[in-house]
Amino acid sequence: MVEKKRDLILDSIADGVFTVDHDWRITSFNHAAEMITGVERSEAIGQLCKDVLKAEICEKDCAIRQTLTTGQPVVNKTVHIVNAEGQRIPISISTAVLQDRSGNVVGAVETFRDISVVETLKKEISRSYGFEDFISKNHRMHDLFKILPDISQSNATILIEGESGTGKELLAKAIHQLSLRKNKRLVVVNCGALPDTLLESEFFGYKAGAFTDAKRDNPGRFKLADKGTIFLDEIGDISPALQIRLLRVLQEGTYEPLGSVESCRTDVRVITATNRHLQDLVREGKFREDLYYRINVMRIELPPLRERKEDIPLLIEHFITHFNLLQTKQIQGMTDDALACLMSYDFPGNIRELKNIIEHTFILCKKDLIERQHLPESVRQVPPPHSSKYSEVMTFKDVEAIFLTNVLRRNQWNRIQTAKELGIHKSTLFRKIKSLGIVLPNHKRSH
Amino acid sequence: MPIWENRVSTVLDFSDNLLIADIKERTVVGETCINWSLCNDIMKISLLTEEGVSVLLCGAVSKPLQIMLEDSGIDLVYGLRGMKDVVLQAYLNGTLQGDCFRLPGTALTVCPGNKRKRCRSKGLKPRDKKDLL
């Protein structure tokens, strides 16, 4: 009876609550705890709390152990758990000792709160996304992920090339976070957003009195990024004059703020990005060759979304979760019909465009599933690529066919080259082309 | 196998130590322990592939890490708990199915790394390669 009453009270609390005995075995577990962890009460009772909560601190810095040892409560400590669905969730935990009527310590109580919404909002406001925000099943992206730690920990300048919306800034942030400079600043400058004269003072700063409105010293972005990283986006847009100054910084590590006669030394790691083909600009004489080689010590190319279509379902799921959190909605997913539409769309604006499309659907969708009519008209009008059945049902085979066609197209329909890129034997590729009914240019249909 | 105090570490993502075992004819012929507490997800996968690991036995694992592991061709057996030696022996004997090895709230799942067909539940057969346990 007492236990029933206790459970009733605990279940009325919005925060997750559980209690443990001296052996860290769970003695009570409320409804909110079930919802956050995905573990049912009946399964949780009697288990070690670490096996149920699955938090990052359980095996290192257990909050309950700390409380039981010191007698002091832990208040609002932010940690991550992995729930039953495999999602990493940020939670805020608090612990306290549990005493019986005589004041004897009989265990501890832990309360915890899902703070995913708060964390997502924080990220949205500060735009501080990191490596964990990269989502991909694409083998080219995985090849990149493999070398990323080594690239990050070197001090080499990096050139990131990729179409608009492919995640160049996100990659730069990930590189900074994985580097030894992660505790220092990452300063982002969009070179395409500012006129040349302003850009120069933004880069290198100025002294008071250097020009009419310069009332006080401005350190400039290179100074702010000292010992850290500077990310120069749209580097292809800077003027020849600024290219020379930037070259000097890269070569000698020195620059002069506007109005100063003294040189400043800088220790900064430079990451640049462009959505243009820098080599073409060099050929056209619009970008200095020596600067190109300076910034191109390590070159990373981010593939456009149309070349990694296998990631679309994964990204859709990610954005649905993201907007569900931000807009407190509970959209479960997308109909096959709507997914087929998106799979056949080319996404000129890449991942950013997909994110905007999902945001658009959230305004119109009042049901559990996003439907075709919730998509923007431009996406809805894309004709199905293969058969009339295509728009009705999207099978794994369809996705595979789209993916394979993309890789073949990228390799100018050269099957040997395609097999090599995919890391499969050429006969496996031939068999797949045949079974998926892919028609190669200048070839008869394979079956 | 990610380990903590001679047990399977509860969450692969947050684990600090990794036990690598060489298996030949269902017998452990060598073991190495590596501290990988400073590794992020990518570094962990790089380390596993560099070590030639073919099977990973672990507790809970987050979806992103699970997907990346499968895509790197590593067979994954997750949702496990228990003493490392007992779990290892059960794996070698093909008797991991018991509830005593299952983490609360997690189904014991076997996911072959890609290049193989699909996930199947339970039914485990150790392979004579360098297996990670």
Side-chain angles (χ1 to χ4, degrees):
Chain A
M1 190 66 186
V2 177
E3 276 185 9
K4 243 187 177 178
K5 227 178 197 176
R6 182 201 63 194
D7 287 344
L8 205 66
I9 295 167
L10 288 179
D11 283 347
S12 68
I13 301 172
D15 286 358
V17 182
F18 68 82
T19 55
V20 293
D21 60 19
H22 281 296
D23 298 323
W24 280 269
R25 297 218 173 253
I26 292 176
T27 49
S28 63
F29 197 75
N30 78 343
H31 180 64
E34 288 183 308
M35 299 305 288
I36 297 169
T37 61
V39 183
E40 287 181 16
R41 185 191 338 236
S42 56
E43 215 183 341
I45 300 286
Q47 303 289 344
L48 289 172
C49 56
K50 77 175 185 69
D51 287 350
V52 175
L53 190 65
K54 304 181 185 83
E56 61 188 313
I57 57 165
C58 291
E59 294 172 359
K60 298 165 192 170
D61 187 21
C62 171
I64 291 180
R65 183 190 296 270
Q66 197 181 322
T67 294
L68 286 175
T69 312
T70 63
Q72 296 300 311
V74 169
V75 182
N76 287 336
K77 184 171 185 165
T78 299
V79 300
H80 285 82
I81 62 166
V82 170
N83 72 5
E85 286 174 12
Q87 294 164 317
R88 272 184 220 171
I89 301 175
I91 59 167
S92 170
I93 61 165
S94 300
T95 57
V97 290
L98 205 59
Q99 293 171 321
D100 63 13
R101 286 183 183 177
S102 323
N104 301 316
V105 175
V106 292
V109 58
E110 181 161 320
T111 60
F112 54 102
R113 176 177 301 176
D114 182 348
I115 53 168
S116 308
V117 179
V118 179
E119 290 296 302
T120 308
L121 283 170
K122 270 189 197 167
K123 272 190 173 183
E124 193 70 4
I125 292 164
S126 63
R127 314 287 305 161
S128 60
Y129 294 92
F131 179 74
E132 68 279 5
D133 297 294
F134 268 102
I135 297 160
S136 184
K137 283 169 74 77
N138 178 270
H139 74 101
R140 282 171 74 191
M141 294 299 286
H142 278 239
D143 288 347
L144 168 63
F145 293 163
K146 278 180 199 157
I147 57 168
L148 210 54
D150 290 331
I151 291 177
S152 304
Q153 283 172 24
S154 80
N155 223 8
T157 53
I158 298 175
L159 171 63
I160 305 170
E161 287 190 331
E163 290 178 13
S164 196
T166 47
K168 297 187 289 294
E169 187 172 336
L170 187 62
L171 181 63
K173 286 178 176 173
I175 291 170
H176 175 71
Q177 275 187 15
L178 288 172
S179 77
L180 302 172
R181 295 170 178 262
K182 67 177 177 187
N183 295 324
K184 297 289 176 180
R185 280 196 198 184
L186 167 73
V187 175
V188 179
V189 187
N190 188 336
C191 304
L194 293 170
D196 206 47
T197 43
L198 264 180
L199 203 55
E200 189 169 349
S201 59
E202 273 298 309
F203 272 4
F204 308 115
Y206 53 79
K207 289 281 176 193
F211 47 88
T212 315
D213 288 331
K215 305 272 189 255
R216 62 178 81 162
D217 288 1
N218 178 337
R221 304 288 180 102
F222 269 92
K223 181 75 181 170
L224 289 175
D226 198 33
K227 307 263 189 305
T229 308
I230 192 164
F231 173 55
L232 307 176
D233 202 1
E234 309 301 354
I235 188 75
D237 292 353
I238 64 170
S239 71
L242 202 54
Q243 288 176 31
I244 295 172
R245 295 204 64 185
L246 190 58
L247 180 66
R248 185 167 165 233
V249 178
L250 292 174
Q251 276 176 337
E252 297 166 23
T254 58
Y255 63 89
E256 287 95 30
L258 284 174
S260 169
V261 287
E262 282 177 22
S263 290
C264 293
R265 284 213 71 81
T266 182
D267 167 20
V268 63
R269 205 259 180 97
V270 179
I271 303 175
T272 59
T274 177
N275 59 8
R276 307 164 77 172
H277 286 285
L278 223 47
Q279 206 161 14
D280 292 345
L281 295 181
V282 171
R283 238 175 266 131
E284 291 163 20
K286 292 177 182 162
F287 200 85
R288 291 182 66 94
E289 195 173 12
D290 42 8
L291 179 59
Y292 173 69
Y293 288 114
R294 271 279 163 190
I295 61 175
N296 189 19
V297 175
M298 185 63 76
R299 180 176 164 277
I300 297 173
E301 190 182 345
L302 283 174
L305 188 53
R306 65 180 169 279
E307 287 179 14
R308 40 180 283 214
K309 285 199 167 178
E310 69 273 33
D311 283 343
I312 292 175
L314 213 59
L315 288 163
I316 290 171
E317 197 184 319
H318 171 75
F319 290 133
I320 288 176
T321 310
H322 176 85
F323 287 118
N324 271 335
L325 280 173
L326 286 182
Q327 301 182 14
T328 54
K329 286 195 169 187
Q330 290 193 330
I331 290 175
Q332 302 297 314
M334 184 174 276
T335 62
D336 291 342
D337 191 24
L339 178 62
C341 255
L342 290 175
M343 291 300 285
S344 36
Y345 184 62
D346 259 355
F347 293 97
N350 292 295
I351 299 165
R352 190 182 296 132
E353 185 179 8
L354 175 60
K355 188 180 177 185
N356 292 343
I357 289 171
I358 301 298
E359 192 171 10
H360 172 106
T361 63
F362 262 65
I363 297 166
L364 302 178
C365 180
K366 308 288 177 212
K367 302 174 184 175
D368 285 351
L369 292 174
I370 295 166
E371 294 173 4
R372 189 189 169 100
Q373 70 262 25
H374 301 137
L375 297 170
E377 208 178 325
S378 55
V379 180
R380 280 205 311 262
Q381 284 174 347
V382 174
H386 294 307
S387 68
S388 56
K389 274 172 70 185
Y390 186 86
S391 61
E392 291 160 17
V393 180
M394 190 75 179
T395 63
F396 180 72
K397 212 173 161 184
D398 294 330
V399 179
E400 199 178 12
I402 291 169
F403 169 66
L404 211 53
T405 310
N406 277 331
V407 186
L408 280 161
R409 189 183 295 123
R410 192 162 64 239
N411 286 290
Q412 284 80 46
W413 306 97
N414 182 326
R415 286 170 293 176
I416 308 283
Q417 194 62 37
T418 302
K420 206 172 164 189
E421 185 182 330
L422 292 170
I424 58 174
H425 195 268
K426 59 183 179 184
S427 55
T428 309
L429 178 67
F430 293 168
R431 201 169 55 246
K432 276 199 176 295
I433 290 172
K434 192 175 173 188
S435 69
L436 295 170
I438 295 170
V439 185
L440 304 175
N442 307 322
H443 281 78
K444 285 183 179 174
R445 199 174 172 82
S446 305
H447 61 80
Chain B
M1 175 195 290
I3 54 165
W4 173 75
E5 291 188 353
N6 290 325
R7 303 181 72 88
V8 181
S9 191
T10 310
V11 186
L12 174 67
D13 305 50
F14 310 141
S15 61
D16 281 351
N17 296 296
L18 179 75
L19 178 72
I20 300 180
D22 286 306
I23 293 172
K24 278 213 170 71
E25 293 171 0
R26 298 194 178 198
T27 308
V28 178
V29 292
E31 283 187 356
T32 324
C33 196
I34 295 175
N35 182 305
W36 67 354
S37 55
L38 296 177
C39 293
N40 58 33
D41 290 355
I42 301 297
M43 291 170 172
K44 281 180 180 162
I45 289 167
S46 299
L47 191 146
L48 293 172
T49 45
E50 275 166 24
E51 291 289 334
V53 163
S54 55
V55 183
L56 178 66
L57 302 185
C58 64
V61 56
S62 68
K63 208 79 186 167
L65 186 52
Q66 183 201 324
I67 289 171
M68 285 198 284
L69 278 163
E70 285 166 26
D71 281 357
S72 59
I74 295 168
D75 290 356
L76 189 63
V77 183
Y78 66 92
L80 289 168
R81 68 167 168 183
M83 301 301 290
K84 68 176 175 62
D85 294 333
V86 179
V87 173
L88 171 53
Q89 202 51 54
Y91 169 68
L92 295 172
N93 298 339
T95 55
L96 266 182
Q97 295 88 339
D99 245 15
C100 58
F101 294 117
R102 189 180 63 78
L103 265 182
T106 317
L108 178 56
T109 309
V110 183
C111 272
N114 72 2
K115 299 189 184 91
R116 296 187 187 87
K117 282 184 179 166
R118 60 190 166 82
C119 291
R120 63 185 194 277
S121 61
K122 302 182 181 177
L124 311 159
K125 280 195 178 168
R127 287 134 45 93
D128 281 351
K129 277 185 168 183
K130 192 170 199 180
D131 285 2
L132 189 128
L133 302 153

